[in-house]
């Protein structure tokens, strides 16, 4: 396995020319200047203009204070990167027979490329790679110009120019700061602003770039390169792109995999070669399995570097020989090294190693059979769930957004921490908890650091996280235009090919939330059919065909949130063609009326819920990273409110005129359900406000997750819950569970509990005073265990306990308590504000003990008669803390680690993430802080700097 460290070493070695034929453009001396030349500073690659201006001291950190507003001048300018190619040409020497390829793995976004005074190309797509043969240009510089120049046009002005064209389609969808044109640019859509992040509209050579030298003389005795790019060091061939797809024999986009069939391995190479070969041969081996293909004869490869030549070969691997790849919570994410060797002749060979796994992943979208409806009690309609290796499973996860406004400074360490935080909180999918959804308004996530700055998909493969991936179209109507379509086609093909090899890939969605937008437009506007027809062409035809022309291993759907299909062959969307009472597609929920946060009748009854969330503040510690004046440390200070982009401004008006709505929604969430923060210490009050919004967010999301998980045993057969969202892009108001620095919010611990394989949860309906306590399991086998429910008063006195054995069938629930009316439910003589219930479950899962703890309060904590908990803390040098309530019960007892540290707390007994729990007198808690040293700047924190708070501190110093 090539570790992150080894990849980093490979990248670091490139500038030294130790790899001979691959020269990193990072090794050149770059300058950056603006349009009129008034600013000239050192530049770098990979980078973006803001980052180089920051490094030169021209601007301060963009994320500080109100710099999003103050630095808008950068967006309005054009920025040119220039580097002298002399270090490369000197290394090249006088060998004019060699071919030089200029390789950009990403340019952001509208740019003219010039080499040695010769124009090379104009580019307009951030999501593509660009390769040019510049041999002749370097050999014949214009007027002794030996420079490489990449001149970036303002994406803002470009967008304004495009939309001023007489045939430009008028968008009918709302936007954030830079409004009305983003759908015309193939650029990260959230760069123009979103309701959870800033609008910096960056530009630059944002991914690694190289000069690759090819020669007709080549070697064949070197070891396989750890990356396809580095295979070019062997001489005559550049692997422009490659695809490794593993399916079952007979599997197609509409034919489900036969789990007993052999595996089919398909390798496709996009080759630029300076040597022609009439009879090239492909060899593929999997050393750990002792498997090697026979020589696979390929079509001829010409001597051509202007465009890649595509060649493919397939071979089979016997079923049962490889271990299957599973998401970590369902098995082992087994990976194998594949050695791919291209032979142009007996002596000219190019070889590299890549890593993949064997699995099938299906998205079930067609109707339930009448037998399933009759025997399982399923509500009629269509399926919408995933199966891995032939078995349905419950998808537990979150959604990810870009990790930073400036892609070039994202690190593999930061990304891996976010992914590990998903795993630690019980997720299996990333739209991530072993499931992540890669949101369609951001970027196609990279596969490795050598070509993509940081590693994402390979980390998902290793960690056992499923990744729902989306093409970059989000919350807008996208016009049909020839110049746009001609750019989109290679973008989609390149990224689908690249990501094919990753067993973590789960599906491709054409975009985010657009289907229901165009349905609404069609129902509302006189010309609405025009927009619906455009949508069908782009998302049901064009992207569909592109995707399936490049792969058949995973499903394509038109949109993240969808009403499903009428047919898969041909692919026909359902839209509003529905039968009343039936369930179709998937759904989402955003309800910002905090009074309805726990009203189950407002939750969607759905097969799969792929987005739901509520926003919260980052912690006081995150605010310390960006607030610059003491008066800013207040919940509704002008600077804090300026970093609340919900609802979005829809224009460049600053501060966001709609921020009071978002602030008010958080305020109501706290005031409805928690004691209102108000103490004599203004900083404590602000800190408690920030934390309390997180507590409410977690309470709300835990309730929804429990409800959707319960649906696995109901008529809706719900098999998926993806919380919006996992990570933060900056220090501001957002839906995230992990802050920009990597600090966990309360929600990430809440998900660690409610995403456990077996959970207990109290479903309370105050309107008719009914309480139903369920144990829910997402295991493939029947789970047996014991549930315990204990009533306490707020002084911590036990008032009665009940124990109930249970057996939960596959992906189902077991009722362990039902009560009707407060007289029956509450302990005798007690009022709702005086008592609460502790719920525990202990179960046996595959020979190991699984536990879960939840809480039930029959009224809001704002009304509860809390008692001073008098928390005492035992602090140890190994960062173990023992918490004891000497007074009353402390709801949501919380430990904060100090500034400069990144990590999480685990229970010292169970070793599970633990924070934000109810601390009960007589039941001490011992937790240990597990630090991430790669992200922490303080590696030896003082235990005295760890802060303890609870709901009691909302109103008491």
């Amino acid at each position: 396995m090539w570790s992150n460290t080894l990849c980093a070493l490979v990248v670091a070695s490139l500038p030294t020319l130790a790899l001979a034929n691959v020269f990193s453009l990072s090794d050149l001396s770059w300058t950056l200047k603006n349009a009129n030349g008034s600013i000239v500073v050192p530049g770098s690659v990979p980078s973006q203009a803001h980052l180089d201006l920051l490094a030169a001291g021209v601007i301060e950190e963009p994320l500080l204070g109100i710099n999003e507003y103050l630095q808008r001048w950068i967006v309005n300018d054009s920025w040119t990167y220039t580097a002298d190619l002399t270090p490369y040409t000197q290394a090249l020497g006088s060998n004019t027979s060699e071919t030089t390829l200029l390789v950009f793995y990403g340019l952001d976004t509208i740019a003219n490329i010039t080499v040695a005074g010769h124009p090379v190309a104009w580019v307009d797509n951030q999501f593509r790679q660009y390769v040019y043969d510049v041999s002749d240009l370097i050999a014949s510089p214009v007027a002794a110009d030996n420079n490489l120049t990449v001149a970036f046009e303002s994406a803002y002005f470009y967008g304004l120019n495009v939309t001023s064209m007489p045939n430009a389609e008028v968008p009918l969808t709302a936007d954030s700061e830079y409004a009305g044109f983003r759908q015309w640019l193939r650029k990260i859509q959230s760069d123009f602003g979103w309701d959870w992040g800033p609008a910096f509209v960056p530009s630059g050579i944002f991914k690694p770039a190289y000069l690759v030298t090819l020669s007709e003389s080549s070697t064949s005795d070197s070891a396989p390169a750890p990356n396809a790019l580095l295979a070019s060091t062997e001489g005559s061939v550049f692997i422009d792109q490659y695809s490794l797809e593993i399916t079952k024999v007979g599997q197609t986009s509409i034919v489900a995999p036969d789990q007993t069939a052999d595996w089919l391995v398909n390798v496709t190479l996009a080759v630029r070669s300076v040597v022609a070969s009439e009879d090239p041969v492909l060899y593929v081996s999997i050393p750990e399995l002792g498997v090697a293909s026979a020589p696979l004869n390929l079509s001829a490869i010409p001597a051509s570097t202007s465009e890649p030549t595509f060649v493919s070969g397939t071979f089979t691997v016997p079923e049962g020989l490889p271990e299957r790849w599973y998401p970590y919570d369902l098995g082992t994410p087994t990976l194998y090294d594949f050695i791919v060797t291209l032979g142009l002749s007996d002596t000219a060979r190019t070889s590299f190693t890549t890593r993949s796994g064997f699995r099938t992943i299906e998205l079930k979208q067609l109707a339930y059979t009448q037998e399933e409806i009759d025997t399982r009690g399923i509500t009629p309609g269509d399926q919408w769930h995933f199966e891995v290796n032939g078995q349905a499973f419950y998808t537990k996860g979150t959604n990810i957004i870009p990790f930073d406004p400036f892609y070039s400074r994202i690190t593999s360490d930061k990304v891996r921490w976010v992914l590990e935080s998903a795993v630690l909180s019980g997720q299996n999918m990333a739209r991530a908890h072993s499931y992540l959804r890669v949101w369609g308004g951001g970027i196609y996530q990279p596969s490795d650091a050598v070509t993509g700055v940081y590693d994402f998909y390979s980390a998902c493969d290793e960690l056992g996280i499923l990744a729902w991936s989306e093409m970059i179209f989000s919350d807008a109507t996208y016009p049909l235009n020839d110049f746009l379509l001609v750019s989109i086609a290679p973008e989609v093909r390149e990224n689908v090919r690249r990501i094919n090899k990753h067993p973590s890939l789960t599906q491709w969605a054409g975009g985010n939330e657009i289907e229901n937008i165009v349905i609404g437009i069609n129902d509302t506007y006189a010309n609405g059919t025009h927009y619906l027809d455009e949508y069908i062409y782009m998302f049901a035809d064009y992207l569909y065909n592109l995707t399936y022309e490049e792969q058949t291993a995973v499903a394509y759907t038109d949109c993240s949130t969808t009403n499903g299909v009428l047919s898969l062959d041909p692919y026909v969307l359902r839209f509003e063609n529905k039968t009343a009472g039936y369930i179709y597609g998937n759904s989402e929920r955003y309800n910002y009326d905090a009074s309805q946060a726990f009203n189950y009748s407002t939750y969607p009854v759905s097969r799969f819920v792929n987005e739901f969330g509520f926003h919260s503040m980052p912690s006081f510690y995150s605010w310390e990273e960006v607030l610059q004046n003491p008066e800013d440390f207040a919940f509704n200070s002008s600077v804090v409110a300026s970093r609340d982009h919900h609802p979005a401004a829809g224009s460049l008006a600053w501060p966001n005129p709609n921020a009071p709505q978002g602030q008010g929604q958080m305020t109501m969430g706290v005031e409805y359900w928690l004691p209102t923060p108000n103490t004599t210490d203004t900083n404590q009050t602000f800190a408690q406000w920030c934390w309390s919004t997180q507590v409410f967010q977690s309470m709300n999301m835990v309730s929804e997750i429990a409800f959707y998980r319960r649906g696995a045993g109901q008529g809706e057969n719900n098999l998926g819950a993806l919380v919006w969202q996992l990570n933060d892009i900056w220090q501001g108001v957002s839906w995230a569970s992990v802050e920009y620095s990597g600090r966990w919010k309360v929600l990430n611990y809440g998900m660690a509990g409610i995403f456990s394989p077996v959970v207990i949860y109290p479903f309370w309906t105050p309107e008719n005073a009914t309480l139903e306590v369920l144990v829910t399991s997402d295991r493939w086998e029947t789970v047996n265990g014991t549930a315990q429910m204990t009533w306490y008063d707020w002084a911590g006195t036990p008032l009665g306990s009940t124990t109930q054995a249970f057996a939960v069938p596959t992906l189902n629930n077991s009722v362990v308590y039902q009560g009707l009316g407060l007289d029956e439910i509450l302990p005798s003589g007690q009022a709702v504000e005086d008592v609460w219930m502790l719920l525990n479950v202990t179960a046996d899962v595959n020979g190991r003990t699984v536990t879960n703890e939840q809480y039930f309060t029959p009224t809001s904590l704002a009304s509860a008669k809390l008692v001073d908990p008098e928390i005492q803390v035992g602090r140890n040098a190994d960062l173990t803390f023992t918490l004891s309530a000497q007074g009353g019960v402390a709801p949501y007892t919380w430990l904060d680690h100090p500034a400069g540290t990144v990590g999480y707390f685990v229970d010292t007994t169970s070793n599970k993430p633990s924070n934000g729990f109810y601390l009960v007198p007589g039941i001490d808690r011992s937790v240990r802080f597990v630090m991430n040293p790669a992200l922490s700047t303080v590696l030896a924190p003082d235990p005295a700097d760890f802060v303890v708070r609870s709901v009691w501190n909302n109103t008491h110093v």
Side-chain angles (χ1 to χ4, degrees):
M1 178 190 301
W2 285 78
S3 67
N4 289 339
T5 301
L6 189 51
C7 284
L9 291 173
V10 170
V11 176
S13 71
L14 287 173
T16 68
L17 288 181
L19 295 171
N21 300 51
V22 180
F23 185 96
S24 172
L25 297 191
S26 301
D27 197 39
L28 298 176
S29 295
W30 290 87
T31 59
L32 171 69
K33 69 176 182 179
N34 66 340
N36 65 12
S38 60
I39 298 175
V40 181
V41 298
S44 57
V45 172
S47 190
Q48 286 155 305
H50 286 77
L51 301 181
D52 289 321
L53 293 172
L54 171 63
V58 175
I59 63 172
E60 63 180 0
E61 166 58 48
L63 297 187
L64 283 177
I66 61 171
N67 283 342
E68 180 200 12
Y69 171 70
L70 297 177
Q71 294 178 4
R72 283 180 177 173
W73 61 272
I74 301 172
V75 180
N76 298 340
D77 214 331
S78 296
W79 297 95
T80 298
Y81 281 86
T82 303
D84 184 356
L85 288 172
T86 300
Y88 171 76
T89 56
Q90 288 178 342
L92 189 63
S94 60
N95 191 345
T96 57
S97 66
E98 293 187 328
T99 297
T100 297
L101 300 180
L102 175 60
V103 181
F104 292 106
Y105 283 103
L107 295 170
D108 181 12
T109 293
I110 311 299
N112 277 294
I113 305 168
T114 304
V115 172
H118 300 279
V120 174
W122 176 83
V123 298
D124 64 346
N125 192 318
Q126 183 178 8
F127 312 123
R128 290 198 57 195
Q129 67 179 54
Y130 296 100
V131 181
Y132 307 102
D133 186 337
V134 295
S135 311
D136 294 342
L137 310 184
I138 292 176
S140 57
V142 175
D145 183 344
N146 202 34
N147 290 331
L148 166 60
T149 300
V150 185
F152 291 93
E153 179 182 346
S154 165
Y156 174 35
F157 289 160
Y158 173 82
L160 293 178
N161 289 337
V162 169
T163 52
S164 68
M165 295 166 57
N167 62 341
E169 184 175 286
V170 177
L172 298 180
T173 46
D175 263 323
S176 295
E177 281 88 335
Y178 291 89
F181 58 82
R182 64 177 171 84
Q183 45 272 74
W184 292 92
L185 284 92
R186 300 309 301 145
K187 176 174 173 57
I188 292 174
Q189 299 289 270
S190 60
D191 278 354
F192 301 100
W194 219 263
D195 56 0
W196 35 253
F200 285 105
V201 198
S203 62
I205 307 171
F206 80 110
K207 283 187 176 182
Y210 302 94
L211 289 164
V212 177
T213 305
L214 303 180
S215 172
E216 292 184 12
S217 61
S218 61
T219 61
S220 60
D221 57 354
S222 59
N227 185 284
L229 164 69
L230 306 182
S232 303
T233 62
E234 297 182 3
S236 58
V237 170
F238 172 61
I239 305 298
D240 184 297
Q241 306 163 50
Y242 76 94
S243 170
L244 171 65
E245 182 181 30
I246 301 175
T247 58
K248 286 288 192 172
V249 172
Q251 178 182 348
T252 71
S253 61
I254 57 173
V255 177
D258 176 356
Q259 297 299 324
T260 66
D262 287 341
W263 298 96
L264 182 68
V265 179
N266 183 312
V267 176
T268 299
L269 303 178
V271 179
R272 297 178 192 251
S273 177
V274 296
V275 175
S277 176
E278 292 298 319
D279 302 299
V281 178
L282 181 68
Y283 306 87
V284 184
S285 64
I286 312 171
E288 190 173 345
L289 296 178
V291 169
S293 71
L296 304 174
N297 296 320
L298 307 175
S299 57
I301 296 176
S304 174
T305 55
S306 59
E307 293 291 337
T309 299
F310 287 85
V311 293
S312 297
T314 63
F315 74 103
T316 59
V317 175
E319 162 58 27
L321 180 60
E323 294 183 11
R324 296 200 182 200
W325 185 97
Y326 280 92
Y328 79 92
D329 65 332
L330 297 174
T332 302
T334 303
L335 296 170
Y336 296 97
D337 284 335
F338 289 69
I339 298 177
V340 179
T341 302
L342 173 64
L344 299 182
S345 66
D346 291 340
T347 59
R349 295 189 177 186
T350 297
S351 184
F352 66 92
T353 300
T354 190
R355 201 155 172 79
S356 190
F358 295 80
R359 63 88 180 94
T360 66
I361 188 80
E362 302 170 74
L363 175 57
K364 297 295 186 179
Q365 301 178 74
L366 296 180
Y368 280 104
T369 65
Q370 191 61 47
E371 180 183 1
E372 290 174 305
I373 293 169
D374 294 340
T375 60
R376 297 176 58 192
I378 292 177
T379 303
D382 293 346
Q383 307 172 76
W384 215 98
H385 65 265
F386 294 92
E387 293 187 2
V388 63
N389 295 321
Q391 291 183 278
F393 66 99
Y394 199 94
T395 300
K396 303 176 296 185
T398 51
N399 296 258
I400 63 164
I401 62 170
F403 297 94
D404 195 284
F406 305 103
Y407 179 100
S408 300
R409 69 178 179 186
I410 301 171
T411 66
S412 290
D413 285 335
K414 178 172 184 174
V415 172
R416 190 175 182 90
W417 171 246
V418 172
L419 297 180
E420 288 175 345
S421 297
V423 170
L424 290 164
S425 61
Q427 306 173 44
N428 62 21
M429 181 176 277
R431 187 203 149 196
H433 279 135
S434 63
Y435 202 110
L436 293 173
R437 173 179 164 235
V438 183
W439 174 70
I443 195 166
Y444 300 92
Q445 291 294 335
S447 296
D448 58 69
V450 174
T451 61
V453 176
Y454 62 91
D455 176 22
F456 178 82
Y457 279 104
S458 295
C460 289
D461 295 343
E462 180 186 338
L463 293 169
I465 297 174
L466 291 163
W468 160 338
S469 300
E470 293 179 6
M471 293 157 192
I472 310 305
F473 303 89
S474 183
D475 292 293
T477 54
Y478 285 82
L480 294 183
N481 179 287
D482 288 344
F483 82 80
L484 197 60
L485 293 178
V486 78
S487 179
I488 289 170
E491 163 200 323
V492 170
R493 291 188 187 279
E494 289 171 12
N495 284 287
V496 171
R497 289 174 193 139
R498 173 178 60 81
I499 298 171
N500 271 347
K501 72 171 184 175
H502 296 287
S504 55
L505 176 65
T506 304
Q507 75 146 336
W508 279 106
N512 171 65
E513 295 184 321
I514 308 173
E515 181 183 308
N516 286 320
I517 289 174
V518 295
I519 289 174
I521 289 173
N522 185 53
D523 292 342
T524 304
Y525 291 85
N527 66 337
T529 303
H530 165 78
Y531 293 90
L532 184 64
D533 289 344
E534 281 195 325
Y535 179 84
I536 292 171
Y537 179 83
M538 175 74 87
F539 295 95
D541 298 335
Y542 193 68
L543 297 178
Y544 172 94
N545 290 331
L546 289 171
T547 303
Y548 281 132
E549 286 169 10
E550 298 299 334
Q551 65 86 42
T552 59
V554 301
Y556 170 89
T557 58
D558 68 302
C559 188
S560 59
T561 306
T562 176
N563 297 282
V565 297
L566 288 171
S567 166
L568 287 175
D569 185 23
Y571 187 63
V572 181
L573 300 177
R574 179 173 294 280
F575 291 128
E576 295 181 293
N577 296 294
K578 300 179 179 180
T579 300
Y582 283 42
I583 300 175
Y584 303 101
N586 59 21
S587 62
E588 57 185 56
R589 179 188 188 267
Y590 291 103
N591 188 326
Y592 298 112
D593 180 354
S595 69
Q596 301 302 304
F598 308 104
N599 183 346
Y600 306 127
S601 69
T602 68
Y603 295 0
V605 177
S606 174
R607 307 291 192 208
F608 195 109
V609 187
N610 72 312
E611 283 193 40
F612 56 101
F614 203 100
H615 50 305
S616 68
M617 287 276 189
S619 66
F620 188 90
Y621 296 92
S622 282
W623 285 121
E624 283 186 309
E625 296 167 9
V626 294
L627 299 183
Q628 298 172 292
N629 300 295
E631 61 270 21
D632 295 338
F633 288 83
F635 190 81
N636 287 308
S637 73
S638 60
V639 179
V640 167
S642 76
R643 299 171 79 96
D644 185 345
H645 288 200
H646 168 70
S651 71
L652 290 174
W654 190 93
N656 177 14
N658 298 321
Q661 287 181 246
Q663 296 289 102
Q665 290 160 357
M666 290 186 293
T667 299
M668 296 307 294
V670 172
E671 292 181 345
Y672 267 121
W673 302 107
L674 297 165
T676 300
N678 184 23
T679 73
T680 57
D681 184 318
T682 57
N683 272 353
Q684 178 182 319
T685 298
F686 179 51
Q688 291 296 128
W689 263 112
C690 295
W691 175 74
S692 293
T693 66
Q694 295 185 16
V695 172
F696 168 71
Q697 176 193 38
S698 181
M699 292 167 65
N700 188 182
M701 293 305 97
V702 166
S703 175
E704 289 196 50
I705 294 168
F707 180 85
Y708 304 139
R709 289 192 65 180
R710 180 177 74 164
Q714 307 291 317
E716 62 265 33
N717 192 32
N718 180 297
L719 290 177
L722 305 183
V723 174
W724 185 271
Q725 67 202 65
L726 177 60
N727 61 305
D728 248 334
I729 195 171
W730 72 333
Q731 305 92 333
V733 174
S734 82
W735 289 249
S737 67
V738 178
E739 298 180 16
Y740 176 76
S741 68
R743 182 182 296 270
W744 287 17
K745 287 184 176 180
V746 178
L747 174 57
N748 218 54
Y749 289 99
M751 289 191 293
I754 203 63
F755 275 147
S756 293
V758 182
V759 297
I760 187 170
Y761 195 79
F763 291 92
W764 167 242
T765 307
E767 290 77 12
N768 59 6
T770 59
L771 176 64
E772 184 176 63
V773 180
L774 267 67
V775 175
T776 300
S777 169
D778 64 17
R779 298 297 87 188
W780 284 333
E781 68 281 350
T782 297
V783 171
N784 296 285
T786 302
Q788 184 174 22
M789 294 153 281
T790 305
W791 282 102
Y792 289 88
D793 63 20
W794 290 110
T797 305
L799 302 175
S801 186
T802 302
T803 301
Q804 179 67 49
F806 62 82
V808 183
T810 302
L811 291 169
N812 216 313
N813 310 294
S814 179
V815 178
V816 293
Y817 175 83
Q818 286 181 312
L820 175 62
L822 292 173
D823 289 343
E824 177 184 338
I825 296 169
L826 298 181
S828 178
Q830 299 293 328
V832 292
E833 63 269 17
D834 295 326
V835 294
W836 65 282
M837 181 190 287
L838 174 64
L839 302 97
N840 294 99
V841 67
T842 303
D844 178 75
V845 176
N846 292 330
R848 64 187 181 94
T849 299
V850 173
T851 61
N852 184 245
E853 176 177 292
Q854 300 294 332
Y855 317 106
F856 168 58
T857 56
T859 189
S860 164
L861 285 173
S863 304
K865 295 182 178 178
L866 302 179
V867 177
D868 185 353
E870 301 177 35
I871 298 174
Q872 291 187 358
V873 184
R875 305 170 188 267
N876 299 297
D878 65 352
L879 303 184
T880 298
F881 302 87
T882 301
L883 292 87
S884 175
Q886 299 298 305
V889 176
Y892 294 100
T893 299
W894 180 259
L895 265 172
D896 263 323
H897 50 90
T901 60
V902 176
Y904 67 104
F905 294 93
V906 298
D907 183 273
T908 56
T909 300
S910 68
N911 211 37
K912 292 166 54 178
S914 182
N915 207 351
F917 44 75
Y918 276 41
L919 185 63
V920 182
I923 308 177
D924 293 353
R925 297 286 190 127
S926 180
V927 297
R928 182 180 72 259
F929 182 63
V930 180
M931 185 181 296
N932 181 325
L935 297 182
S936 297
T937 57
V938 176
L939 298 179
D942 187 339
D945 292 336
F946 287 70
V947 175
V948 179
R949 70 179 84 247
S950 76
V951 169
W952 179 259
N953 300 109
N954 280 11
T955 53
H956 298 81
V957 175

